[in-house]
Amino acid sequence: MNNTAYSLRRRLIWLVTLAILGVGLLSTVVVYLRAHHEADELLDTQLAQVAETLLAIATGGKLDQFVDSGGEQSRRHAVPIAYEIWRETAGAPERITLSVGHGGFSLPVAAGYSNRVHRDKNWRLFSVRDPDSAYQVIVGQRHSARDRLARETGLSLLVPMLLILPLMALLVGWVVNRALRPVDALAQSVRALDPAALTPLDSASPLPQEIVPLRDAFNALLERVSVTLENERRFTADAAHELRTPLAALKIQAQVAQRAQPGGSQQHALGQVIAGVDRMTHLVEQLLTLARVEHATDTAPAAYDAAAALQVSCEPYQATAAQNRQTLERDADPGCTPLLGRTWFEIAVRNLFANAVHYAGPGARIRVTLRCGAGRARLTVCDDGPGLPPAARASLRARFARGETEAEGCGLGLSIVERIAQRSGARLTLEDGLPRADGGVGLAVCLDCPQALPPPADAGTGNPDAAG
Amino acid sequence: MRLLLVEDDRLLGDGLQSGLTQAGYAVDWVRDGEAAVAALATESFTALVLDLGLPRRDGLSVLSWLRARQDSTPVLILTARDQLEDKVRGLDLGADDYMLKPFDLDELTARLRALVRRAHGRPSPTLCAGSIVLDPATRRVTHGGDAIDLTLREFNLLQVLLENAGHVMSRRALEEQLYAWGDAVESNALEVHIHHLRKKLGNDVIRTVRGVGYAMDA
């Protein structure tokens, strides 16, 4: 997502490889020097042995090869060589000379390299024969001496490796730390986030490819949390406004009543106090309902008579509707039950119907229908009131929004229904309502929810159940 | 002594109108921002009591419109929003005072008196001319130490004249300050009140400036 991103994996691979290469080169140099030194000593020792052997041959094998005649420091690498020289005379091999100390190998000894156990010791033998002169030379070394040499050489190489290992660990540690520094920096900036102002993490700063998706996901989360927080903040501010205004009215009206002369104006003010308490009561009820549908779970969507629920929910406002000379039509498909617990269904119907009664205006026609089809149940409350232009419909969904109207109400009804819709997988839409005599249209509020059960095969539509 | 009350809440507006009227003000109540602008464009008020969350035109917009036309009418904001930035914004836009709902009626009237006093650049809470002393807070008038009984309109008329002592006030300006819309005003009501004031305080207290209006000497 930005061109400054680099791969943490690639960077680690590169840096660790470089570190290993560096340490490898260093250890190669050290090993080379050590090996060179060992080889020097070994070859020097061999030179000395060859010289001594030749001297022994020249003197007829009188020198004791197995007695340490050197005494120098380099002789610790001595791997004594035992030798024998045979000559075949008149068909029978005869030992001409042999080194002292090994007691002589018995023939035959195969030409070339071979292994042999001789006097309970393991020997490595080499034999060469000159067919013309019938001479056979056998040389041998004890395996234990060779093993000791290999052990010593190996040990002398192990020491520098052991010394280099901590250096290697330090280097790799440094490399990993360095490679992971952006992760630390990111953690630091997350830690430094102010919970009150969740600003997204800087997306311009270079980050490894592997971390970029994490940061982007984190920023997306921050944004969602910010939106939620902002909504909550706005709700608190709105709720403060909605609660304080009626409280202010109550207090002022009470003070006016207290000061007024008994009679007209005092009666008026006291009446206003009572009206204010009623309004506060309604507001508190609505806020509690909203809190309930925000946090509680719906009653189990057991089968219930939705048509009866529809009727019950409209009842509280039928007197007001009658006062407003409004006509009410109610119609439910038989056996049609939305996948919505009875409690929430009734709350939804009650609020939508109350809105229609309050805002459709006097003399309006209000129609409440519940229709089933295609696996969905649709609750519609429509009227032929003043309606609402499509542009204004969205803003009406905000909590405490009342629209540009003179009617009293706390503006929570639609929010409550919307919340019910969100929590139960339903969809709330505002559409054109019933046509008015003057050619305009009223408002229709529709709640589309999944249907609890498919309707019986013989279910028809219609069966109007008019009231009001 | 005439207030423009801008409040969309019916219950609160009704209570404020009653309460402020009890306190001696002539109160005009409008319920949205556009109506407030229309009223302010044509008439003058002693002070403006302004709610912020208004339909059609926001209270802050009304306020900035008012200040943009160099109108220095004292403005007291009523609001339910208690966030600091809301207060700061209101004051920065030219409000003179700020009250958080719910509030006390007595505090509101006291703050309105202070606003009017400051608007006239007067250090003392009482108004004096000669031996006449008017106390807006207690709504009492003394003349040479003796308490004088005045009706509501007489008191308000005297206060307007005292607030503008040294200036000639036209009949229209005086009537605008005394009567709210819908108050029944007889054509010679002002002359009747002036006559009563002269009777109670002395003939030479209020001067008639022929063809212009009335004045009191500072």
Side-chain angles (χ1 to χ4, degrees):
Chain A
M1 76 159 265
N2 68 55
N3 49 16
T4 50
Y6 57 89
S7 167
L8 193 61
R9 196 176 298 122
R10 218 163 39 231
R11 171 179 269 212
L12 263 178
I13 289 170
W14 268 111
L15 287 176
V16 171
T17 306
L18 276 178
I20 289 176
L21 189 65
V23 171
L25 281 175
L26 181 64
S27 63
T28 306
V29 169
V30 172
V31 166
Y32 168 76
L33 292 176
R34 296 290 302 182
H36 196 273
H37 181 68
E38 294 291 320
D40 273 352
E41 289 187 354
L42 190 64
L43 293 172
D44 285 352
T45 312
Q46 237 142 37
L47 271 182
Q49 279 178 350
V50 168
E52 281 160 8
T53 308
L54 288 177
L55 185 61
I57 293 166
T59 55
K62 295 289 181 275
L63 280 182
D64 182 1
Q65 181 63 48
F66 276 35
V67 171
D68 185 1
S69 58
E72 310 119 56
Q73 174 265 337
S74 70
R75 298 294 279 200
R76 75 186 170 84
H77 284 287
V79 181
I81 295 176
Y83 59 86
E84 295 175 21
I85 302 174
W86 295 70
R87 190 177 53 191
E88 207 164 328
T89 41
E94 175 202 353
R95 186 186 280 130
I96 300 173
T97 182
L98 88 163
S99 57
V100 184
H102 72 283
F105 305 114
S106 55
L107 286 182
V109 172
Y113 292 105
S114 62
N115 292 314
R116 162 172 304 201
V117 179
H118 172 66
R119 290 187 183 170
D120 295 336
K121 306 276 195 267
N122 286 316
W123 289 80
R124 178 75 170 160
L125 301 182
F126 181 77
S127 164
V128 63
R129 185 187 172 93
D130 179 18
D132 297 337
S133 57
Y135 274 98
Q136 183 178 11
V137 175
I138 302 166
V139 285
Q141 271 178 339
R142 294 250 311 267
H143 268 293
S144 62
R146 289 173 148 233
D147 290 347
R148 184 173 45 84
L149 179 64
R151 226 168 21 243
E152 280 177 4
T153 311
L155 271 177
S156 74
L157 291 180
L158 185 65
V159 172
M161 274 312 285
L162 285 178
L163 288 177
I164 283 171
L165 202 66
L167 178 69
M168 175 95 169
L170 276 177
L171 255 176
V172 169
W174 177 79
V175 160
V176 170
N177 271 339
R178 213 187 129 77
L180 291 181
R181 201 175 293 161
V183 179
D184 288 340
L186 193 71
Q188 184 61 43
S189 48
V190 170
R191 227 169 320 184
L193 274 182
D194 178 5
L198 296 172
T199 44
L201 299 174
D202 184 9
S203 59
S205 64
L207 267 187
Q209 284 166 7
E210 290 84 351
I211 309 289
V212 167
L214 184 67
R215 181 199 54 202
D216 292 348
F218 186 76
N219 276 350
L221 172 71
L222 275 190
E223 203 172 304
R224 286 199 300 275
V225 170
S226 297
V227 168
T228 312
L229 277 182
E230 182 51 39
N231 278 344
E232 287 309 309
R233 243 194 301 263
R234 193 166 337 121
F235 175 71
T236 316
D238 289 345
H241 181 259
E242 294 302 316
L243 287 166
R244 281 178 175 142
T245 301
L247 279 178
L250 274 179
K251 175 152 185 170
I252 297 299
Q253 294 284 5
Q255 284 188 309
V256 168
Q258 194 179 37
R259 277 149 220 213
Q261 301 299 319
S265 64
Q266 190 178 43
Q267 281 308 310
H268 172 78
L270 285 174
Q272 296 285 53
V273 168
I274 291 164
V277 171
D278 288 345
R279 204 175 105 197
M280 278 302 283
T281 310
H282 176 66
L283 173 60
V284 170
E285 294 290 349
Q286 289 289 76
L287 277 173
L288 287 176
T289 306
L290 186 61
R292 230 170 271 142
V293 299
E294 294 260 11
H295 302 295
T297 44
D298 191 11
T299 49
Y304 57 91
D305 185 351
L310 207 64
Q311 187 181 351
V312 169
S313 316
C314 289
E315 261 161 21
Y317 294 95
Q318 274 177 4
T320 318
Q323 272 172 25
N324 294 348
R325 304 182 319 283
Q326 290 160 332
T327 340
L328 167 64
E329 297 161 29
R330 213 171 38 229
D331 184 9
D333 284 354
C336 174
T337 311
L339 190 62
L340 196 64
R342 179 166 188 150
T343 314
W344 284 18
F345 178 69
E346 287 186 0
I347 292 174
V349 174
R350 194 162 62 236
N351 278 285
L352 295 181
F353 183 58
N355 276 350
V357 169
H358 283 133
Y359 299 117
R365 203 150 58 92
I366 301 171
R367 183 187 289 165
V368 184
T369 55
L370 179 63
R371 298 255 178 264
C372 271
R376 316 267 316 159
R378 168 173 259 229
L379 168 73
T380 310
V381 178
C382 54
D383 60 60
D384 63 352
L388 202 63
R393 287 176 190 168
S395 65
L396 202 64
R397 291 161 165 248
R399 287 183 283 203
F400 299 117
R402 271 185 293 254
E404 301 280 316
T405 169
E406 288 286 298
E408 297 280 353
C410 64
L412 284 175
L414 208 54
S415 302
I416 290 171
V417 180
E418 175 134 54
R419 196 67 195 123
I420 287 177
Q422 280 171 5
R423 294 209 51 193
S424 59
R427 213 162 62 88
L428 181 72
T429 49
L430 303 182
E431 295 170 9
D432 285 345
L434 300 171
R436 278 198 310 267
D438 66 1
V441 286
L443 185 67
V445 186
C446 309
L447 187 67
D448 277 302
C449 20
Q451 191 184 333
L453 295 162
D458 60 343
T461 51
N463 186 21
D465 170 25
Chain B
M1 296 301 99
R2 181 174 171 209
L3 298 177
L4 180 63
L5 168 64
V6 193
E7 168 61 62
D8 64 322
D9 187 88
R10 197 176 294 179
L11 207 56
L12 180 57
D14 175 84
L16 280 174
Q17 189 174 36
S18 308
L20 291 170
T21 306
Q22 276 178 351
Y25 291 98
V27 183
D28 289 317
W29 172 25
V30 294
R31 297 186 54 190
D32 65 72
E34 288 298 340
V37 165
L40 288 163
T42 50
E43 302 185 51
S44 67
F45 296 90
T46 312
L48 175 62
V49 177
L50 183 66
D51 182 30
L52 286 189
L54 294 170
R56 292 175 73 199
R57 186 162 185 167
D58 184 58
L60 288 177
S61 152
V62 173
L63 179 59
S64 46
W65 171 87
L66 183 75
R67 295 308 185 217
R69 61 200 294 268
Q70 305 298 318
D71 190 328
S72 63
T73 305
V75 175
L76 187 148
I77 285 180
L78 297 179
T79 184
R81 309 207 189 281
D82 56 354
Q83 299 295 307
L84 185 65
E85 61 254 48
D86 292 327
K87 296 183 195 175
V88 169
R89 233 173 106 221
L91 294 174
D92 278 348
L93 278 175
D96 299 274
D97 205 349
Y98 196 101
M99 283 186 88
L100 184 65
K101 295 174 186 175
F103 48 85
D104 190 274
L105 191 55
D106 290 332
E107 189 182 349
L108 175 65
T109 50
R111 283 177 185 246
L112 282 173
R113 281 193 298 273
L115 283 190
V116 172
R117 177 167 60 77
R118 282 205 295 273
H120 287 94
R122 144 166 87 73
S124 156
T126 55
L127 293 151
C128 311
S131 55
I132 300 169
V133 178
L134 180 144
D135 185 347
T138 57
R139 297 189 69 81
R140 283 161 56 104
V141 176
T142 56
H143 186 211
D146 302 328
I148 305 291
D149 224 13
L150 295 183
T151 67
L152 178 84
R153 298 267 188 239
E154 288 161 8
F155 180 91
N156 286 352
L157 176 58
L158 181 63
Q159 184 173 351
V160 172
L161 287 168
L162 284 168
E163 298 275 15
N164 300 282
H167 299 280
V168 182
M169 297 295 285
S170 71
R171 270 184 59 107
R172 188 176 126 70
L174 286 174
E175 278 172 355
E176 257 189 26
Q177 289 291 310
L178 289 186
Y179 299 106
W181 306 319
D183 283 348
V185 188
E186 312 248 329
S187 62
N188 65 341
L190 191 65
E191 281 80 2
V192 173
H193 295 315
I194 294 277
H195 174 72
H196 286 156
L197 277 177
R198 283 180 173 150
K199 228 163 71 182
K200 290 175 182 175
L201 300 168
N203 265 332
D204 50 349
V205 168
I206 301 167
R207 280 191 296 120
T208 304
V209 183
R210 207 160 293 279
V212 184
Y214 303 93
M216 284 182 82
D217 291 321

